[in-house]
Amino acid sequence: MTTIAVTGHMDINDASVPLVRGELDKILAAYEPAGLVGVSCIAQGSDSLFADAVLAAGGRLAVVIPSEDYRQAKVKPEHADTFDRLVEAADEVLVMPHATANRQAYEAANAVLLERADRLVAVWNGRPPTGKGGGTADVVHQAREADIPVDVVWPDGASRRA
């Protein structure tokens, strides 16, 4: 069994979605579907694209929700249907023991992703951490420090919303 976690930008632009999804599909095609587990926080953008790609590849999905109030407090109306569909499709849903969605909850959720991961897929433009903690670059750095292999996905032409 191979467990692949994801981290990535939430704000990839619409034109980048098919580019990123194509790269995710290529990466996941290398794994036997019966032994593939994807771990995602299913946030809007990269996390949900990865979760959909795992399911399309025939893998199983494990969802880590950062806090008890995450769905109500942080999931935007345009992402709610996707979020709910992915929760429903998941083999496992872990809600972190944080009442409120905040930086501490996100960092704890990211730690669980890395604890479970054999590999990390990072939908990441390569920019350094912002210093706030809990972002994509931070997770990539933590994975590399823990000797978890990282596959960076940022295809030519990909960009973030302004």
Side-chain angles (χ1 to χ4, degrees):
M1 179 169 22
T2 303
T3 301
I4 304 174
V6 67
T7 188
H9 301 304
M10 295 176 66
D11 59 352
I12 57 176
N13 69 27
D14 291 343
S16 299
V17 168
L19 301 173
V20 170
R21 176 60 191 265
E23 292 301 310
L24 293 172
D25 289 342
K26 286 179 198 172
I27 288 170
L28 296 174
Y31 297 93
E32 177 62 38
L36 175 63
V37 177
V39 184
S40 175
C41 292
I42 64 171
Q44 187 168 356
S46 303
D47 287 10
S48 292
L49 276 177
F50 173 81
D52 273 329
V54 166
L55 293 170
R60 291 177 292 148
L61 179 62
V63 169
V64 179
I65 298 176
S67 67
E68 295 165 8
D69 75 340
Y70 185 82
R71 169 68 172 80
Q72 296 76 21
K74 295 296 179 180
V75 177
K76 295 183 175 158
E78 66 270 15
H79 182 60
D81 288 344
T82 299
F83 183 90
D84 293 342
R85 178 179 52 77
L86 291 171
V87 166
E88 184 67 29
D91 282 32
E92 177 188 5
V93 178
L94 171 63
V95 179
M96 298 298 294
H98 295 271
T100 305
N102 57 26
R103 188 63 49 202
Q104 183 181 22
Y106 302 144
E107 289 178 358
N110 289 336
V112 169
L113 292 177
L114 293 179
E115 285 169 12
R116 293 181 171 214
D118 298 316
R119 299 190 73 80
L120 178 71
V121 168
V123 181
W124 176 47
N125 63 4
R127 300 247 166 110
T130 62
K132 296 179 192 174
T136 301
D138 298 298
V139 178
V140 169
H141 176 74
Q142 292 163 1
R144 289 178 172 160
E145 288 287 312
D147 291 324
I148 298 168
V150 178
D151 297 308
V152 175
V153 173
W154 198 252
D156 287 342
S159 61
R160 298 172 74 178
R161 289 191 293 273

